[in-house]
Amino acid sequence: MPVELKILRNRMITMVKRFVLPKISRLCQNKSFQAVYRSGKSYANKNLVVYVLPNKSANRRIGFAAGKRLGPAVVRNRVKRLLREAYRLNQDKFISGVDLILVGRQPLVKAKLVQVTKSLLELSAKAKLVVEKS
């Protein structure tokens, strides 16, 4: 493989890695979800609910949820995928040191990614989760 292609490939890989959502950045255990639900503050709009709980570390952890009211597993998984992708593309805009849970509501069942992203960013600004630009 020519050197130019190797350099280009390495740049593309580093660009892609910037947008991953590693396991350390996710809430995985039920105990963690319950702590955020119980002690965290919630913010809502018509599309989703965000639960926020400051944590003691410098990391930001996030969980995604969709209740059974939304429909069968296929629909709930789609809602969670939309939320995950909207967050993943904008994760650099969020503050650190918090645990977040994003819960999808009924209008997200028929929503597109653009609508989900817009709704997430609006709600994050309302919850003061967005990093201020200096």
Side-chain angles (χ1 to χ4, degrees), residues 75-92:
V75 173
R76 296 193 307 268
N77 288 336
R78 180 181 179 274
V79 167
K80 288 188 283 188
R81 276 196 312 272
L82 282 170
L83 290 171
R84 198 176 301 122
E85 184 67 7
Y87 171 76
R88 187 185 69 84
L89 293 173
N90 296 291
Q91 65 186 337
D92 56 333

Side-chain angles (χ1 to χ4, degrees), residues 22-42:
K23 190 158 188 160
I24 196 166
S25 298
R26 287 183 269 161
L27 290 173
C28 296
Q29 297 179 340
N30 186 26
K31 183 171 71 172
S32 303
F33 272 82
Q34 294 305 319
V36 177
Y37 283 134
R38 275 193 216 106
S39 305
K41 189 161 171 46
S42 66

Side-chain angles (χ1 to χ4, degrees), residues 24-133:
I24 196 166
S25 298
R26 287 183 269 161
L27 290 173
C28 296
Q29 297 179 340
N30 186 26
K31 183 171 71 172
S32 303
F33 272 82
Q34 294 305 319
V36 177
Y37 283 134
R38 275 193 216 106
S39 305
K41 189 161 171 46
S42 66
Y43 301 89
N45 62 17
K46 70 174 188 155
N47 291 326
L48 60 113
V49 181
V50 175
Y51 290 89
V52 182
L53 180 67
N55 62 26
K56 294 178 174 73
S57 71
N59 295 338
R60 174 182 55 244
R61 298 185 309 165
I62 187 159
F64 304 94
K68 288 197 174 183
R69 288 183 189 175
L70 296 182
V74 173
V75 173
R76 296 193 307 268
N77 288 336
R78 180 181 179 274
V79 167
K80 288 188 283 188
R81 276 196 312 272
L82 282 170
L83 290 171
R84 198 176 301 122
E85 184 67 7
Y87 171 76
R88 187 185 69 84
L89 293 173
N90 296 291
Q91 65 186 337
D92 56 333
K93 297 177 183 170
F94 287 84
I95 61 172
S96 296
V98 292
D99 290 342
L100 304 170
I101 297 178
L102 302 180
V103 182
R105 285 186 161 177
Q106 191 64 42
L108 281 188
V109 171
K110 293 186 170 109
K112 302 288 183 197
L113 180 61
V114 176
Q115 296 165 320
V116 176
T117 304
K118 182 180 175 195
S119 184
L120 175 62
L121 291 176
E122 285 174 0
L123 196 55
S124 300
K126 179 180 172 184
K128 297 181 180 146
L129 296 173
V130 180
V131 175
E132 283 107 26
K133 297 173 186 168

